[in-house]
Amino acid sequence: MRGQYALLRLLLAGFMLYVAWPFIPQGTTFLEQLFWGGWLIFFLLVIGANSASLLQMIQPPIMEQKKERQRKTYNH
């Protein structure tokens, strides 16, 4: 279940990049370039965090940990 959420977030981030990509070169002023630079940095952070979660390199969010504990108690 944990991997499904990470994969969904990766797909959503990829879709947002797909939609935004044509507009990135149109930013001509410093403020527009600053916005797109910040947006791309945030995008890379989202991709990195969700990739690490998908590869089980980090602990899942607290909400997902509670769901896993509940499933374990129901199964035992």
Side-chain angles (χ1 to χ4, degrees), residues 46-67:
V46 168
I47 294 297
N50 285 297
S51 296
S53 178
L54 190 62
L55 297 172
Q56 298 180 356
M57 296 171 68
I58 59 174
Q59 292 290 334
I62 299 295
M63 187 176 84
E64 292 178 18
Q65 288 179 8
K66 290 179 183 177
K67 288 180 184 178

Side-chain angles (χ1 to χ4, degrees), residues 1 12-13 17-18 26 28-29 33 35 38 44 47 50-51 53-54 59 67 70 76:
M1 189 69 149
L12 183 61
L17 180 66
Y18 173 76
Q26 293 177 3
T28 54
T29 66
Q33 291 174 351
F35 170 78
L44 291 174
I47 294 297
N50 285 297
S51 296
S53 178
L54 190 62
Q59 292 290 334
K67 288 180 184 178
Q70 287 175 351
H76 295 283

Side-chain angles (χ1 to χ4, degrees), residues 14-42:
F15 174 73
M16 288 184 181
L17 180 66
Y18 173 76
V19 171
W21 192 258
F23 298 103
I24 292 174
Q26 293 177 3
T28 54
T29 66
F30 175 73
L31 189 59
E32 291 171 339
Q33 291 174 351
L34 186 65
F35 170 78
W36 285 117
W39 192 91
L40 287 172
I41 289 171
F42 181 70

